[in-house]
Amino acid sequence: FRTETVRTRNTAFRMIECVADTGGTPVTVFQVDGDGNATCKYLILGVPSLFNLTLGTDWVQYTGLGGPAPGYYKRSGITYLRGQLANSGAASGSNIATLPVGFRPIDTVTISAINGGITLTITTAGVLTSSFVPPALPTAAYINLHGIFWLNP
């Protein structure tokens, strides 16, 4: 916490900042009056910490779109995925990666009809898996993780 006193005209207020999210640097600023009552004044959103996914066997970064490495970050309690993945020989249903505690969804997330007939599943244990239709993944297929996000309580 960081506390400072701010004077506006004839009134003094204490401003208290507290980090609200370990995935980045959002800070909630409260105004505390003389009776100790706190009022939320604003939220400062900092740049979130970006983490690369540790990919399972036979999964690699897809570089055809020139995007960032497959990864994740959290901002204001929402986990976001980023980057693109390519299969380099993984079987349908194989583990792509596992998200750490604090970044996992509270319900299983399933995204179907991704490029090349791929279904991506993210379990509550944070395990990312894919299934292919048909069972063999086309060589030109990739998984785009951009736009996949969920709320973490």
Side-chain angles (χ1 to χ4, degrees), residues 15-63:
M15 302 301 282
I16 300 173
E17 295 181 351
C18 53
V19 175
D21 185 352
T22 59
T25 55
V27 176
T28 305
V29 177
F30 296 94
Q31 177 176 302
V32 181
D33 65 21
D35 296 326
N37 300 314
T39 304
C40 181
K41 298 308 285 182
Y42 53 89
L43 180 66
I44 301 169
L45 294 175
V47 176
S49 298
L50 302 174
F51 304 98
N52 287 334
L53 282 171
T54 301
L55 300 178
T57 305
D58 296 323
W59 288 96
V60 296
Q61 176 182 355
Y62 178 75
T63 58

Side-chain angles (χ1 to χ4, degrees), residues 60-153:
V60 296
Q61 176 182 355
Y62 178 75
T63 58
L65 298 176
Y72 57 96
Y73 63 96
K74 189 189 291 186
R75 173 172 262 171
S76 299
I78 299 174
T79 295
Y80 296 87
L81 300 181
R82 67 182 181 122
Q84 295 88 30
L85 303 164
N87 180 323
S88 64
S92 181
S94 66
N95 288 356
I96 298 170
T98 301
L99 294 166
V101 173
F103 293 89
R104 299 172 179 177
I106 57 171
D107 293 311
T108 297
V109 175
T110 302
I111 297 103
S112 51
I114 295 178
N115 182 43
I118 303 167
T119 298
L120 176 68
T121 302
I122 307 160
T123 69
T124 57
V127 178
L128 282 75
T129 60
S130 65
S131 51
F132 320 137
V133 181
L137 183 65
T139 56
Y142 63 91
I143 299 174
N144 189 350
L145 300 175
H146 289 292
I148 300 174
F149 62 92
W150 56 86
L151 178 65
N152 293 94

